[in-house]
């Protein structure tokens, strides 16, 4: 078939699937080559070329035949590459700082986990009455509620918490 690309493009714009297939067959390698040069990597070129081919049926509706089809297709490819690069730059800008944020968050979580491990080990070495008291306080009960659970006065709970703090401080100082 010696039909020109412009004639094929106009026929494809009118819904001729055979003309569209032949048009892609004739122009795909040139389109891919341009996409490769525009994007600089095979992976990006393949993606861009696939996006252009998928959008081509809708875009052909605006092809009027005033310019050569290859010129028109190259303009479509250049515009698509610009759009892709612009979106990539926007994503990169939006993502910048997230790596630092994640590293800081991970470091804070690690420090908190280490502090909690230290506290749990230190609490394990306390006398039973102090360990019971601190365990209930850590479970968000107030001193009155802890006193009710343990059958002691609120004042005794406060005294025990003071003793817990003294023991923990002594353990911390002995480790330094």
């Amino acid at each position: 078939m010696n039909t020109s690309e412009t004639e094929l493009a106009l026929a494809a714009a009118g819904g001729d699937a055979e003309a569209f297939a032949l048009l892609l067959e004739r122009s795909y390698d040139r389109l891919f080559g341009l996409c490769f040069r525009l994007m600089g990597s095979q992976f990006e070129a393949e993606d861009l070329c696939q996006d252009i081919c998928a959008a081509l049926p809708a875009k052909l509706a605006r092809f009027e035949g005033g310019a050569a089809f290859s010129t028109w297709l190259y303009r479509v490819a250049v515009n698509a590459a610009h759009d892709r690069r612009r979106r990539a730059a926007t994503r990169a800008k939006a993502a910048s700082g997230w790596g630092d944020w994640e590293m800081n968050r991970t470091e804070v979580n690690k420090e908190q986990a280490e502090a909690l491990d230290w506290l749990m080990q230190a609490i394990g070495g306390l006398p039973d009455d102090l360990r019971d008291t601190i365990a209930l306080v850590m479970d968000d009960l107030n001193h009155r509620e802890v006193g009710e659970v343990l059958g002691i006065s609120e004042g005794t709970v406060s005294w025990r918490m003071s003793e817990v703090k003294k023991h923990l401080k002594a353990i911390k100082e002995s480790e330094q």
Side-chain angles (χ1 to χ4, degrees), residues 4-7 9-10 13 60-70 72:
S4 74
E5 286 183 344
T6 300
E7 292 171 332
L10 291 171
L60 277 171
R62 287 175 272 170
F63 178 71
E64 297 172 354
F69 173 74
S70 59
W72 178 85

Side-chain angles (χ1 to χ4, degrees), residues 147-165:
E148 289 175 12
V149 170
L150 296 177
I152 57 176
S153 72
E154 190 174 338
T156 302
V157 172
S158 296
W159 175 83
R160 285 184 180 179
M161 286 305 298
S162 175
E163 289 298 304
V164 165
K165 289 176 187 176

Side-chain angles (χ1 to χ4, degrees), residues 93-111:
K93 186 177 178 183
S96 75
W98 280 103
D100 293 339
W101 177 84
E102 178 62 16
M103 287 173 48
N104 290 338
R105 186 189 68 81
T106 303
E107 186 61 33
V108 167
N109 286 348
K110 181 181 171 188
E111 289 171 6

Side-chain angles (χ1 to χ4, degrees), residues 1-70:
M1 180 180 236
N2 284 336
T3 311
S4 74
E5 286 183 344
T6 300
E7 292 171 332
L8 288 173
L10 291 171
D16 186 340
E18 197 173 308
F20 181 76
L22 187 55
L23 186 64
L24 274 183
E25 184 180 317
R26 286 186 184 178
S27 57
Y28 186 83
D29 289 341
R30 284 179 300 174
L31 176 62
F32 179 79
L34 175 63
C35 289
F36 183 80
R37 288 185 298 280
L38 289 169
M39 301 309 293
S41 82
Q42 182 175 345
F43 173 77
E44 286 292 326
E46 288 169 350
D47 268 4
L48 179 61
C49 208
Q50 182 178 5
D51 290 348
I52 292 168
C53 290
L56 201 53
K59 290 190 180 295
L60 277 171
R62 287 175 272 170
F63 178 71
E64 297 172 354
F69 173 74
S70 59

